[in-house]
Each structure stands twice: as structure tokens, then as C-alpha cells.
Amino acid sequence: MAWTKAKTAVVAGAVLILAAGTTTVIVKNSGHHSPVKLQTGPATEESFQRETIVRMNQSKQWALASIMFADDHRNQLPQNFEQMKTYVRSLSSSNWEIVSGGNLNSFTNPSRNDRIILLREKVSRQSPDGKFVKAYAFVDGHAELISSPDEDFGALEKQRGFLIQPAKN
């Protein structure tokens, strides 16, 4: 039990450091650029990079909030974003969906937690090269930006071996 809490604390600390670093970059560069506006159509390279930083930062913060929630609630992952508002008050959940749930200790294959999708963006956006991208956060706390040529993210998730663990009632 103590080892699980220690691992959770280490993962939460690492995610927090990554989120703080990303936030620092955003804040440092915010004086040089206009405010970041999320968009869904084709983007310029500069606006795409800024928006990517914002979305990756959001995914890491939501992942950290999920892990912190689970730590405070007998390892139960949150069922909705409202439950995580205590941990991240200023984030919008409108473009995010929780896809895995239940008890962190009951995941069927803990060694594959880096492949279990915790949450992902609902709507993809188009990059300057014409591909479509979505941000993903995984149960181990890391985040990835996934690119698809045709918006078929379901097939891409299957090809990459990503897993979803629905909550067990």
C-alpha cells in the first residue's frame, strides 16, 4: 500500500514538473504573441505549435488531477470532470472525454499503464501538413500528441496497442 502511494506521488510529481515547465514556456512566450485561441480548421505552423503546447499542458493537468483524485478516493478514478475541479479549477473540459475508469489497482495489466488511455480530446484538429491530431493522456500520467492522416483515430489506437479500461460497477 505504501509502495503504491509512493509510486503515485512520484508520477504526480513528474507530471506536475512537466506541466509547470510547459506553463512556464507558455507564460514566457505569451508576451510575444497574441492570446492563444483554440481552433479546429487548418492552422499556420506558429499557431499550431502554440495550440499544441496548450493542449498537451491541459492533458497533463487533467491526468494529474485524475491521479490525485484517485489517491484521495481509494484509488477510484473520477467518473467525470466535475469531480476533478477541486484539483484543476481553470481548465475547460468541453473538448475532453474520460475513456478509462475504475480502480487503479484493478487494471488488468499494470505493466501496460503507459498504453491505457485515461482521457483524450473529443475533436481532432488539422495540422499545417494536412494531418489530424488529438492529445491523449495515459494512466501512467504521460501525454502524447497522436497524428492521423484520415481522422480514423480508432484504427490508430488499435494499431498502436492502446487500451481502454472501462469502469467496473
Side-chain angles (χ1 to χ4, degrees), residues 4-18:
T4 301
K5 291 210 180 261
K7 287 192 300 186
T8 301
V10 169
V11 169
V15 171
L16 185 59
I17 289 169
L18 289 171

Side-chain angles (χ1 to χ4, degrees), residues 36-59 95-96 121-136 144-151 153:
V36 176
K37 295 180 182 174
L38 299 181
Q39 59 190 45
T40 55
T44 65
E45 186 65 36
E46 184 180 333
S47 67
F48 180 77
Q49 291 301 326
R50 284 194 316 258
E51 190 173 333
T52 297
I53 290 170
V54 169
R55 290 179 185 220
M56 291 300 289
N57 189 31
Q58 289 175 346
S59 65
N95 192 37
W96 295 96
E121 286 186 286
K122 291 178 189 174
V123 179
S124 64
R125 62 192 171 101
Q126 196 168 14
S127 66
D129 67 0
K131 293 180 180 175
F132 297 89
V133 296
K134 280 187 179 185
Y136 285 72
E144 292 182 25
L145 189 68
I146 308 299
S147 167
S148 171
D150 58 7
E151 286 193 290
F153 286 92

